[in-house]
Amino acid sequence: MMKKRLLTIGVCLGALGFATAPAFANDGYDLWLAPASSPATDIRVVGQSQTLDRAAGELRRDLAAAPLPVVLGKSDDPAIAALRLPTRALGEEGYLVRAAMLDGRKTLIVTGKTDRAVLYGAFALIRAQKTGADLAAIDLQSAPKIGLRVLNHWDNLDGSVERGYAGQSLWDWWTLPDFKDPRYTDYARANAALGINGIVLNNVNAKPESLTAPYIAKAKALAEVFRPWGIKVYLSARFSAPIEVGHLKSADPLDPDVQAWWKAKSDEIYREIPDFGGFLVKANSEGQPGPRDYHRSHAEGANMLAAAVAPHNGIVMWRAFVYAETDPEDRAKQAYTEFKPLDGKFADNVLVQVKNGAIDFQPREPFHPLFGAMPKTPMMLELQITKEYLGFATHLAYLGTMFEEVLEADTRAKGKGSTVAKVVDGSLYRHKLSGIAGVANVGRDRDWSGSTFNQANWYAFGRLAWDPTLSADRIAREWAQQTFGNDPRVVDTAVKMMLASREAVVDYTGPLGLAHLMGTGHHYGPGPWISDLARPEWNPVYYHKADRNGIGFDRTKTGSNAVAQYAPAVAKMLADPRTTPESELLWFHHLPWDWKMKSGRTLWQEMVARYDRGVSTVAQMQAEWQEVKSLVDAERWQKTASYLQIQHNEAKWWRDASLAYWMSVNGLPLPAGAAAPEHDLAWYKAQDFPLAPGHPH
Ligand code: GCV
């Protein structure tokens, strides 16, 4: 279970005057669930269930001595119902936490319609206390805006994690189902505290074996651990499994034998896991099999699986991340072209899962044009919590601001205010099903996510999944309070660093709408010069199109006309470089190097200034972190400081390598005062990282 280690050596060093850091070491295992030093004791449950017991257990562990007794129970329990609290509008998962007179005593009541809701209320109460609320006056009421709040694990059955930077997979498939590592419980607790209610266990690049009986038994063991925490398990399904596992000749979704196979397979899963959530599918994308192999549409493929799980109330999350090397169309347009005509053709229990942007989780992408474009289809937003393109585990990049940016983006699909958040939460087109997915950044590292600040990205995903209108700033603050304690000097510093961090990564990796400039395969470090890969759209030169005269991808009508995939008001704005946000300029426009920017600088001067700003923001974060050295436990402080140094070195590497390359293309000198790259271009090109983490070798 979670524990805090007392580092006696720290005390000794402190006594000798060597260290001013607090005596406790903290390896980050506790996440946002640090136990209270003197926990509340007067906690009572009315009613009975494993989930209610778990909720009470959390309060007894994490809630500091409270001014009032606490009673937890479902709103229909006679003891609670008699209080006539306003619980009607809470739905299945919403909670109410409020003081009321119970048995003649003023008591804090934690309630909701289901035991899951009560659990969420218990965590909300703990969060409120840890972030400084006065429990005597507390009145909390909240219901999630999005129904399915799901983490996608890209975990492989051999224990590796695709794009995982926090160690091996948390799931020890080999010892499951017999050994249920206590970490599985702590993982469930951490997720339940945020309201996450679904976990896809295996990589979307799925192995067929995950659908065989031994692996279903392993999934069942995890489902049993997660169930009391309100979490369902889901599996990624390989579309060709009927051939590989079922020994059929085909996986054609219209073949009755194939349909029968999936139905029998689903029945088998539900016999073992009665609350199994359903399937996630990556089909006809990056070499994965799919319905297109049989000239069937994505809707036909999805609906076949949907029919198999429908009798059990299961769902299918069907990914729209498709593009093909055989298709000469701009990669950014392909998913829309393929899926938009299928609107209205998906079964009721299918959600189409769409990445935030049209390419692939780049540090900045404009919102995906499919949001708002398929009114008859529930759209699930897919975000990437693991930082494949934002510096892996080592760079500090708080993604709350990035998630907020896409959720707030206005699709204009039904007039002003048609935000991506409203598409995703189902309110814009009144869908019953709604969902959001985050590609998990969790592994077997002691601190779960590879660094302390990476934990904030998991936290931010969970909080925004519950309420996509929360601000990134508020989430950063409450995370910092629960992670480092309430000293405002530490909290303010952490929040300041976090809020500046993602923009810094954009600046030093690809400012002004540039994207996909990274090294091949592992995606580590810069490679804007790469032009020799087999598929055109795998090459960075495909994306930036830089030459002596200019840079950027023309997606207006003189180019690929991707702008026309947006609603007319957005398309109009993006059609003109003068009305396109500068942060997305080169995503949509190919412009001359001397294009006049709003700052008065030329495009080239502005690019150099942004690269420099990125590097100096990291230096600034280092200085700020130094300021709180004596206020943060030594272990987490030191690891963060070392990682910031790595980030600074790599930010400079990105800046120098990129500028060396751009200068080789445009022949321009650096603006006055800008430092020359440390090495020549040949040196940067020669760097090789065959063993970078997160990449299947
Ligand atoms: C799971 C990107 C990543 C792949 C990932 C893919 C996807 O291309 O680099 O590792 O595969 O996205 O989302 O399916």
Side-chain angles (χ1 to χ4, degrees):
M1 296 300 283
M2 298 197 178
K3 60 177 185 209
K4 222 172 206 172
R5 287 186 289 124
L6 181 64
L7 193 70
T8 37
I9 198 167
V11 178
C12 300
L13 289 173
L16 292 171
F18 287 132
T20 46
F24 283 99
N26 186 329
D27 60 14
Y29 188 88
D30 283 343
L31 297 161
W32 35 91
L33 301 175
S37 46
S38 111
T41 48
D42 198 349
I43 314 271
R44 192 160 62 86
V45 178
V46 294
Q48 225 188 6
S49 83
Q50 287 192 4
T51 301
L52 290 177
D53 286 349
R54 301 289 194 285
E58 290 302 304
L59 289 172
R60 289 189 188 113
R61 179 184 177 281
D62 287 1
L63 193 73
L68 303 176
V70 181
V71 167
L72 304 124
K74 290 203 290 180
S75 52
D76 63 358
D77 184 279
I80 309 262
L83 301 174
R84 299 188 177 284
L85 296 169
T87 53
R88 262 216 206 118
L90 294 176
E92 293 292 301
E93 295 184 298
Y95 57 78
L96 179 79
V97 181
R98 165 183 295 193
M101 292 304 286
L102 187 69
D103 302 332
R105 284 208 302 171
K106 192 170 176 202
T107 304
L108 257 185
I109 310 291
V110 180
T111 191
K113 190 166 168 203
T114 59
D115 48 10
R116 221 160 63 239
V118 178
L119 176 69
Y120 295 147
F123 279 120
L125 175 57
I126 294 167
R127 181 167 59 242
Q129 188 188 53
K130 285 189 178 159
T131 54
D134 172 8
L135 292 203
I138 208 153
D139 189 359
L140 305 173
Q141 194 167 335
S142 181
K145 294 198 164 65
I146 300 179
L148 302 163
R149 307 177 294 278
V150 181
L151 285 178
N152 289 183
H153 279 251
W154 285 359
D155 294 22
N156 297 316
L157 304 186
D158 66 0
S160 61
V161 181
E162 182 151 351
R163 313 306 175 187
Y165 312 104
Q168 289 285 98
S169 168
L170 200 52
W171 325 134
D172 187 350
W173 292 111
W174 199 246
T175 57
L176 280 166
D178 302 314
F179 176 58
K180 294 178 183 165
D181 189 328
R183 279 194 80 156
Y184 304 153
T185 302
D186 285 337
Y187 180 59
R189 295 175 53 226
N191 281 316
L194 307 177
I196 287 169
N197 62 5
I199 293 176
V200 182
L201 298 175
N202 59 321
N203 191 352
V204 286
N205 291 333
K207 290 269 187 248
E209 288 84 352
S210 61
L211 296 173
T212 58
Y215 279 90
I216 292 171
K218 293 169 196 284
K220 174 185 179 175
L222 289 171
E224 282 164 357
V225 175
F226 297 159
R227 189 168 296 123
W229 301 96
I231 296 169
K232 288 185 179 182
V233 302
Y234 298 76
L235 289 173
S236 290
R238 183 168 165 86
F239 199 77
S240 53
I243 302 173
E244 290 135 349
V245 177
H247 308 296
L248 300 184
K249 292 239 154 32
S250 156
D252 181 349
L254 299 196
D255 179 334
D257 289 342
V258 174
Q259 294 170 351
W261 187 86
W262 279 110
K263 189 170 175 335
K265 184 50 72 183
S266 301
D267 293 348
E268 178 190 346
I269 296 174
Y270 278 96
R271 270 196 304 278
E272 299 301 319
I273 312 172
D275 58 351
F276 178 64
F279 295 120
L280 169 65
V281 186
K282 171 176 177 178
N284 294 118
S285 168
E286 301 185 331
Q288 296 301 311
R292 306 296 280 149
D293 302 346
Y294 305 93
H295 309 288
R296 311 297 185 198
S297 72
H298 282 273
E300 286 168 320
N303 293 349
M304 174 198 53
L305 287 171
V309 294
H312 309 283
N313 297 321
I315 56 134
V316 170
M317 299 167 285
W318 190 270
R319 295 176 91 222
F321 177 67
V322 297
Y323 64 102
E325 78 273 29
T326 45
D327 188 343
E329 193 178 42
D330 173 4
R331 173 173 166 189
K333 291 179 71 180
Q334 292 184 28
Y336 179 103
T337 305
E338 179 99 35
F339 277 78
K340 163 95 178 141
L342 300 177
D343 191 27
K345 302 213 163 99
F346 288 96
D348 288 348
N349 56 338
V350 175
L351 296 106
V352 171
Q353 182 165 308
V354 182
K355 289 188 182 183
N356 55 288
I359 299 289
D360 187 14
F361 298 138
Q362 295 300 300
R364 169 163 284 121
E365 293 194 32
F367 73 87
H368 201 301
L370 274 173
F371 290 110
M374 294 180 66
K376 298 186 187 127
T377 312
M379 288 272 146
M380 198 157 169
L381 170 63
E382 180 175 329
L383 300 165
Q384 194 185 49
I385 309 171
T386 190
K387 304 200 313 294
E388 177 180 356
Y389 302 104
L390 289 104
F392 294 7
T394 38
H395 293 207
L396 198 164
Y398 171 56
L399 303 181
T401 45
M402 177 166 158
F403 300 162
E404 178 183 57
E405 184 174 290
V406 63
L407 287 162
E408 281 180 350
D410 195 347
T411 70
R412 304 291 292 269
K414 270 178 85 180
K416 277 196 178 155
S418 306
T419 59
V420 170
K422 286 186 187 159
V423 175
V424 172
D425 72 15
S427 62
L428 192 68
Y429 294 119
R430 298 183 187 282
H431 288 298
K432 274 211 287 264
L433 272 184
S434 60
I436 184 165
V439 180
N441 66 350
V442 171
R444 228 178 279 174
D445 275 7
R446 189 69 193 154
D447 65 12
W448 304 88
S449 301
S451 84
T452 303
F453 279 90
N454 283 340
Q455 297 174 352
N457 294 332
W458 174 9
Y459 184 88
F461 168 77
R463 296 288 287 134
L464 286 166
W466 181 276
D467 182 354
T469 65
L470 290 177
S471 80
D473 186 334
R474 169 182 161 177
I475 294 171
R477 184 160 295 278
E478 64 178 50
W479 172 80
Q481 288 173 304
Q482 292 168 89
T483 302
F484 297 117
N486 265 323
D487 184 332
R489 291 168 298 175
V490 180
V491 172
D492 290 348
T493 300
V495 171
K496 190 161 173 236
M497 291 164 64
M498 290 162 82
L499 293 181
S501 60
R502 179 270 187 142
E503 203 61 39
V505 179
V506 171
D507 280 343
Y508 63 70
T509 60
L512 301 172
L514 290 172
H516 208 289
L517 304 173
M518 67 287 167
T520 301
H522 47 63
H523 297 170
Y524 172 66
W529 48 81
I530 295 166
S531 62
D532 58 354
L533 304 177
R535 288 173 60 158
E537 78 289 350
W538 281 352
N539 290 294
V541 296
Y542 170 95
Y543 296 92
H544 62 68
K545 304 206 184 306
D547 60 19
R548 199 160 185 85
N549 300 319
I551 181 168
F553 199 127
D554 182 2
R555 293 193 162 104
T556 68
K557 44 176 201 284
T558 52
S560 77
N561 206 19
V563 298
Q565 293 184 334
Y566 289 96
V570 178
K572 186 164 174 244
M573 175 184 80
L574 298 175
D576 183 343
R578 282 168 302 235
T579 52
T580 301
E582 285 194 338
S583 58
E584 297 174 354
L585 193 61
L586 301 176
W587 183 281
F588 290 110
H589 303 281
H590 186 84
L591 296 171
W593 293 100
D594 62 357
W595 175 264
K596 254 284 177 338
M597 301 293 291
K598 293 200 177 102
S599 61
R601 299 185 183 113
T602 65
L603 172 58
W604 170 236
Q605 289 165 342
E606 185 68 33
M607 271 175 69
V608 177
R610 301 267 177 138
Y611 278 111
D612 279 331
R613 188 175 73 178
V615 179
S616 63
T617 303
V618 180
Q620 176 70 26
M621 292 198 292
Q622 287 183 284
E624 283 160 355
W625 191 242
Q626 199 65 42
E627 293 285 300
V628 296
K629 182 169 184 181
S630 62
L631 307 172
V632 176
D633 53 278
E635 195 169 349
R636 290 186 301 175
W637 186 88
Q638 187 54 56
K639 185 171 176 184
T640 303
S642 303
Y643 276 17
L644 283 168
Q645 186 56 50
I646 295 173
Q647 183 173 9
H648 190 254
N649 297 343
E650 295 185 353
K652 191 167 171 320
W653 167 38
W654 264 98
R655 177 245 183 227
D656 285 357
S658 306
L659 292 183
Y661 172 66
W662 302 132
M663 286 193 286
S664 79
V665 173
N666 64 16
L668 294 170
L670 282 169
E678 197 172 336
H679 302 280
D680 63 13
L681 182 57
W683 188 91
Y684 294 109
K685 285 185 174 179
Q687 303 308 303
D688 190 24
F689 306 97
L691 300 176
H695 183 229
H697 300 297

